[in-house]
Amino acid sequence: MSINFKLNFTVSERFLRYVSIDTQSDPSSASIPSTEKQKDLGRLLVTELTQIGVNDAHLDEYGYVYATIPANTDKTVPVICFCSHMDTSPDCSGANVKPIAHKNYNGDDIILPDDRSQIIKMADHNDLKNQIRNDIITASGTTLLGADNKAGVAEIMDACYQLINHPEIKHGTIKILFTPDEEIGRGVDKADIKKLGAFAAYTMDGESAGNMENETFSADGAKLTIHGISVHPGFAKGKMESAIKIAGLIVTMLPFELSPENTEGMEGFVHPVSIEGHVETATIDFIIRDFEDANLVKHANAIREIADEVLQEFPGSTYELEIKPQYRNMKSELDKHPQIVEYGMEAIKRAGLNAKLCSIRGGTDGSRLSFMGLPCPNIFAGEHAFHSKQEWVSVQDMQKAVETILHLCMIWEEKS
């Protein structure tokens, strides 16, 4: 079945509402969610879902929003879920976002008014060449926009509105999940998979229109703790072994070919993200990424070998390296159920786009959901330059994402 009726899209209006709510997550917080303000958006979403007739919409104590759109077909259709995260990145301020709609984009530079040094140029943003005559939404120059992932949230919300208002779209039971804390790696820590009861899920958290991602990095975190020797600096000759300086030497010896700034495509990396310490003790936190799990071990060993080499010059000092798994490449789980990706690609094509299957140099909630028993590829949401003041999204791309969701609902019903 094609969508042969005119959709009254609500996605851009929803998006503009949602980005005005500060939902930045906090990696230093131990609470769940990491910031209470994420629940502000969750409460609004529950209110809006209830208003359009989704009767079981609710926000739980951990900041997750759950909802169900009941089946409207006599067929037995697998339950599918659509998921997006509500939080924004700690990398850039998400407070007092002032979204600006740039109508009928003509290819010129977009100068953001609150910081005119922030200029969005086609030369720097490749997908802008596909946006001529489209409407581009940006922030004003002093904050991120929040398209990652409020574009996905708005798309799923609009799709719910369309499903309720167009009963001619036949579908099975549809579950909705909005999560907190994805940006700090905790997005599904408290997700209730049993409550969802779904066979498959789709995160709406990708970039260019038409893209679908069935493969992510596998990811580990690594903490290197260095124990030096602290001595009064006035009497330190031949005695002091500074953990701070040892840490600096280790970082400078990391191979450039393993750095994120020198890798692309299917290449993995080792990335030091923070250093803290004193003369006696210092720690370096790393993230380790690769598409092959076995390479994570190789990358961790590279850190260990460098530490061993450096500490040969500091015989009184020691170190420990702690490795913690974070998430794994979802492709191995998705390959067990190929129809999940096949139906997604078909839905993108039915929305009138060129479907492209991609790998993502990162992770999504779907990475972990796939290993929790809910296989979950990632579909484009139209977000670009995420985590930055130059973040932008196209209204027309968001509308195509809504159409893709609706086609997916229909395809699962058709194929059952």
Side-chain angles (χ1 to χ4, degrees):
M1 173 184 174
S2 62
I3 298 176
N4 54 10
F5 46 85
K6 184 174 177 59
L7 295 176
N8 177 26
F9 288 108
T10 64
V11 63
S12 59
E13 291 85 354
R14 294 180 189 278
F15 177 73
L16 293 171
R17 275 200 302 278
Y18 303 159
V19 297
S20 68
I21 301 172
D22 181 8
T23 58
Q24 191 175 55
S25 48
D26 179 4
S28 67
S29 168
S31 65
I32 306 175
S34 65
T35 54
E36 279 294 306
K37 58 190 176 183
Q38 294 179 68
K39 291 183 178 179
D40 294 340
L41 178 56
R43 281 186 282 267
L44 174 62
L45 296 174
V46 169
T47 297
E48 292 186 359
L49 286 165
T50 302
Q51 288 172 345
I52 64 174
V54 182
N55 296 323
D56 73 337
H58 64 282
L59 176 74
D60 76 3
E61 62 182 305
Y62 302 115
Y64 292 76
V65 173
Y66 297 86
T68 308
I69 298 181
N72 65 355
T73 178
D74 293 332
K75 292 184 177 181
T76 300
V77 182
V79 176
I80 61 171
C81 174
F82 293 97
C83 173
S84 286
H85 65 90
M86 298 178 287
D87 65 317
T88 60
S89 170
D91 294 346
C92 184
S93 173
N96 303 310
V97 173
K98 294 190 287 186
I100 301 171
H102 306 266
K103 301 282 188 179
N104 195 26
Y105 173 66
N106 64 3
D108 290 345
D109 293 350
I110 300 174
I111 301 173
L112 303 184
D114 288 349
D115 180 355
R116 297 184 68 82
S117 70
Q118 297 295 330
I119 304 173
I120 302 175
K121 303 177 181 180
M122 189 180 293
D124 300 327
H125 300 264
N126 186 56
D127 200 55
L128 280 175
K129 69 179 184 294
N130 301 316
Q131 305 296 342
I132 302 300
R133 291 186 293 278
N134 284 350
D135 303 322
I136 307 296
I137 300 176
T138 70
S140 62
T142 59
T143 68
L144 50 66
L145 174 62
D148 178 15
N149 185 222
K150 290 168 185 172
V153 172
E155 289 154 8
I156 294 171
M157 290 291 291
D158 189 13
C160 291
Y161 171 82
Q162 306 299 343
L163 290 171
I164 295 294
N165 284 278
H166 291 283
E168 62 269 37
I169 299 176
K170 296 302 177 185
H171 57 83
T173 299
I174 307 298
K175 293 287 185 174
I176 305 302
L177 174 65
F178 297 126
T179 66
D181 288 342
E182 188 267 0
E183 295 289 3
I184 58 173
R186 307 180 205 164
V188 296
D189 281 4
K190 294 293 183 179
D192 191 334
I193 303 301
K194 186 176 180 180
K195 181 191 289 189
L196 290 171
F199 170 73
Y202 298 88
T203 48
M204 304 298 297
D205 192 15
E207 192 175 21
S208 298
N211 285 5
M212 183 176 187
E213 293 150 346
N214 69 331
E215 188 167 13
T216 63
F217 273 144
S218 286
D220 284 346
K223 180 183 287 291
L224 182 70
T225 303
I226 302 156
H227 303 284
I229 298 175
S230 179
V231 178
H232 188 290
F235 306 91
K237 185 174 181 178
K239 300 174 185 177
M240 179 186 288
E241 296 183 3
S242 170
I244 296 173
K245 292 180 179 178
I246 294 170
L249 288 170
I250 290 170
V251 170
T252 58
M253 287 184 64
L254 291 170
F256 186 60
E257 63 269 20
L258 271 183
S259 66
E261 56 266 45
N262 195 49
T263 53
E264 61 183 353
M266 303 299 288
E267 299 169 328
F269 59 75
V270 174
H271 181 40
V273 293
S274 72
I275 301 178
E276 296 181 356
H278 308 278
V279 172
E280 190 169 58
T281 305
T283 60
I284 312 171
D285 286 310
F286 299 86
I287 59 173
I288 304 175
R289 301 291 187 263
D290 208 284
F291 289 97
E292 299 293 334
D293 291 0
N295 286 341
L296 295 178
V297 178
K298 293 180 181 178
H299 299 332
N301 285 337
I303 299 172
R304 194 173 282 111
E305 289 166 6
I306 291 168
D308 286 339
E309 181 178 348
V310 169
L311 264 73
Q312 287 180 9
E313 303 299 320
F314 300 90
S317 300
T318 60
Y319 76 89
E320 301 112 29
L321 182 63
E322 179 186 12
I323 306 294
K324 288 188 175 180
Q326 294 177 328
Y327 58 84
R328 289 296 179 262
N329 189 341
M330 62 190 176
K331 189 174 188 300
S332 61
E333 294 302 305
L334 289 170
D335 284 349
K336 298 174 184 177
H337 308 282
Q339 73 273 33
I340 296 172
V341 171
E342 290 170 6
Y343 293 176
M345 295 291 281
E346 177 63 24
I348 293 170
K349 292 173 185 175
R350 291 193 190 185
L353 298 169
N354 293 321
K356 181 180 179 182
L357 196 58
C358 308
S359 301
I360 181 172
R361 289 178 59 81
T364 67
D365 277 342
S367 304
R368 290 181 59 199
L369 287 171
S370 293
F371 288 90
M372 294 167 68
L374 188 56
C376 185
N378 189 41
I379 294 176
F380 74 93
E383 57 206 43
H384 293 272
F386 24 80
H387 301 193
S388 78
K389 295 175 183 178
Q390 294 190 15
E391 189 179 15
W392 60 272
V393 69
S394 157
V395 170
Q396 286 74 16
D397 285 357
M398 288 195 293
Q399 292 174 347
K400 285 296 182 182
V402 175
E403 290 184 38
T404 298
I405 295 171
L406 299 179
H407 280 298
L408 253 175
C409 295
M410 291 188 286
I411 289 168
W412 278 97
E413 195 271 346
E414 291 170 19
K415 302 287 188 182
S416 296

